[in-house]
Amino acid sequence: MVFESLADKLQQTFKKLRGRGKLSEGDVADALKEVRLALLEADVNFKVVKDLIAKIKERAIGQEVLESLTPAQHVIKIVNEELANLMGGTQSRIVIASKPPTVVMLVGLQGAGKTTTAGKLANHLKRQGKRPLLVAGDIYRPAAIKQLQVLGEQLDIPVFTLGDKERPVDIAKKAVEQALSMARDIIIIDTAGRLHINEELMQELKSIKQTVRPHEILLVVDAMTGQDAVTVAEAFNNDLGIDGIILTKLDGDARGGAALSVKAVTGKPIKFAGMGEKLDALEPFHPDRMASRILG
Ligand code: GDP
């Protein structure tokens, strides 16, 4: 389960505090030292941890806490709030165009879960009464088009493909026209991934971006890769520009370092989290609920 080890450690730390009556500055400082270590062990970005602890300390060492009747509760509340703020505070939804179709472009490295997520996202939107169209824009990975078609069939959602001979930018352009003629109100473009970020990939994504002007460019990253996911997000954001992040495989990520760092490092929020391989295992990301999961 996500945040499992971090949750264990923080809960132990705060159990010790709870045993005390009034807290001294030293008690709070000791507890925050443990919080800091636990966050670093959870693979949270070093600078993010530093800033976070400074913020918590400033609030927790104030008179308000030390004099409060249940200081431990107060400190826990502050940590909870700051962890939620770190992840964006409140839920970030995707933008829906006032004039359909809304164009969503999914980008990311190979294996991050992009194609699966395209299906999951389409399923999520369909359940909300939308009429999605999936677009097979990954023409390089041999099985990607077929994989998307299979997902589309399972979900009863149409898949637009022009095979693997047309340029992805033309596929995207024609998909928008197709969506209009089929009265589909949201299109989800699965783009090509690579094993590593390279110039060719970025150029292709940029030309799709310039041509179809997506309302949302969502980066799909694998939570289990920890700080690598954060580095990938920074690179895509700097080079291409993204509107949000979908963090996949959070179900298998016991540490949670990417979930806790990526918003603070890139400035872009996590909008959804993948919680399993099944097509209904995509959840809107709620920073406040995530924080509460850590502190129990
Ligand atoms: P792509 O290369 O980015 O298009 O990746 P795929 O969509 O083919 O996904 C790669 C693997 O990750 C597949 O085995 C998926 O089932 C798996 N996967 C994707 N999302 C999740 C998730 O949220 N949780 C888990 N456990 N597996 C996932």
Side-chain angles (χ1 to χ4, degrees), residues 109 111-116 120 141 147 249 251 274-277:
L109 295 184
K114 199 162 18 64
T115 304
T116 314
K120 287 178 179 175
R141 183 160 69 88
Q147 189 184 344
K249 311 185 197 181
D251 51 307
M275 302 299 288
E277 294 196 81

Side-chain angles (χ1 to χ4, degrees), residues 108-118 120 138 141 144 147 151 190-191 193 220 222 224 247-252 273-278 281-282:
L109 295 184
Q110 216 171 79
K114 199 162 18 64
T115 304
T116 314
T117 301
K120 287 178 179 175
D138 183 356
R141 183 160 69 88
Q147 189 184 344
L151 291 175
D190 182 25
T191 61
V220 179
D222 177 346
M224 286 167 68
L247 203 56
T248 60
K249 311 185 197 181
L250 206 56
D251 51 307
M275 302 299 288
E277 294 196 81
K278 294 217 183 90
L282 183 79

